[in-house]
Amino acid sequence: MDWHESTTPFVPRPDSSLSFFYNYNNNNNPIYPGVEVKEGALLVERGGMEKMNNREKKKRLTSNQLELLERSFQEEIKLDPERKMKLSRELGLQPRQIAVWFQNRRSRWKTKQLEHLYDVLKQQFDVISKEKQTLQEEVMKLKRMLRTQTVGGYTEMSGEETVESTSEGNKLRGRTSNITEALCSFTVEDYNTLSLPPCQWPYYP
DNA sequence: CTTCTAACCTATTCACGCA
DNA sequence: TGCGTGAATAGGTTAGAAG
């Protein structure tokens, strides 16, 4: 899940309705006085686009700025105050802009991770699904064989006792239902510990 | 215990840039 | 000019410090 092993594992926050999404634990939330400028660098307020006339036009970051930000992000997904100020100085951007960029970047990163996870799970599901189909076909085949044998004078299986209700059938059922349960009960907490193939960053949608 | 602050998050808005 | 992208905003939660 982490870009680097150094980053904090995905730990849902307790007691939060949004805990599902809280990747990054907040236990060592640093004090960072006077840096987080709530307006200042930002150009537009909600519903106040007319105010932009007096402000700087919203600009895209330059390729150099993006390159450095991206490098920094890949070193560490979280932004500590010191690094924020350093990047701010180096890139000539407001600290708030750096913070926003990291925020948005983490968001994009997580979206990609979820897409990747979906692909992995789908692949696994397809394989298992195929396997189940093969086994079901085999069961049908065995049933047919049994029926032929009983017609020919062999011992007949009583009433409901089919191949599926035998120990083999139970094994098969148990196995498939376990797989289904496992897939249906998959949570993001599992996602934390799931070992995924290495994720090639940066990749964009 | 309550309040404040600063960090984080998701969802959303909307300007920019490209086909 | 329509659409995708991404910078920025809004509004929410949590943790930690201070009163």
Side-chain angles (χ1 to χ4, degrees):
Chain A
M1 172 70 182
D2 294 330
W3 169 247
H4 276 169
E5 292 302 317
S6 61
T7 53
T8 311
F10 189 108
V11 178
R13 287 190 192 185
D15 307 322
S16 164
S17 59
L18 297 172
S19 64
F20 181 90
F21 287 110
Y22 282 81
N23 299 23
Y24 316 105
N25 72 33
N26 234 0
N27 295 339
N28 52 353
N29 191 357
I31 303 300
Y32 192 42
V35 171
E36 208 54 34
V37 184
K38 291 284 181 189
E39 54 343 299
L42 302 184
L43 309 170
V44 196
E45 291 168 26
R46 172 167 263 185
M49 289 309 295
E50 67 279 359
K51 294 181 182 175
M52 231 173 67
N53 296 334
N54 301 333
R55 300 182 187 206
E56 213 178 313
K57 286 259 179 180
K58 195 178 189 175
K59 277 186 189 152
R60 298 242 158 166
L61 302 176
T62 67
S63 53
N64 282 347
Q65 287 170 327
L66 286 172
E67 197 181 319
L68 188 52
L69 285 166
E70 191 64 48
R71 268 213 303 272
S72 185
F73 180 83
Q74 291 189 18
E75 278 170 22
E76 174 64 55
I77 195 170
K78 277 193 81 177
L79 185 63
D80 59 84
E82 200 180 310
R83 199 154 60 104
K84 190 202 286 183
M85 293 309 290
K86 187 167 174 279
L87 284 167
S88 169
R89 282 193 300 273
E90 285 175 1
L91 298 171
L93 296 169
Q94 293 291 327
R96 173 67 181 160
Q97 284 178 289
I98 306 293
V100 165
W101 187 89
F102 266 77
Q103 198 87 284
N104 288 323
R105 187 63 181 79
R106 279 193 294 268
S107 178
R108 292 195 293 273
W109 175 77
K110 203 167 83 184
T111 303
K112 290 306 295 181
Q113 289 295 316
L114 285 169
E115 283 172 12
H116 181 64
L117 177 65
Y118 172 81
D119 289 342
V120 169
L121 286 172
K122 192 175 181 307
Q123 268 181 11
Q124 289 175 354
F125 178 80
D126 289 345
V127 167
I128 288 163
S129 189
K130 235 173 227 169
E131 197 182 332
K132 186 190 172 199
Q133 197 186 335
T134 307
L135 288 166
Q136 277 176 336
E137 280 165 10
E138 202 177 326
V139 166
M140 295 303 287
K141 197 173 141 192
L142 288 166
K143 275 182 177 177
R144 277 196 298 275
M145 279 174 68
L146 269 174
R147 229 175 279 136
T148 321
Q149 285 172 350
T150 51
V151 168
Y154 291 94
T155 314
E156 197 169 349
M157 294 178 87
S158 66
E160 293 297 306
E161 195 180 352
T162 63
V163 170
E164 283 197 1
S165 67
T166 62
S167 60
E168 285 304 309
N170 284 336
K171 270 186 213 164
L172 174 68
R173 239 202 330 267
R175 187 172 169 197
T176 51
S177 69
N178 284 347
I179 290 161
T180 312
E181 278 168 28
L183 286 171
C184 291
S185 64
F186 189 85
T187 67
V188 171
E189 289 191 41
D190 300 320
Y191 169 62
N192 294 334
T193 52
L194 185 73
S195 69
L196 298 173
C199 179
Q200 299 298 317
W201 276 103
Y203 62 65
Y204 291 91

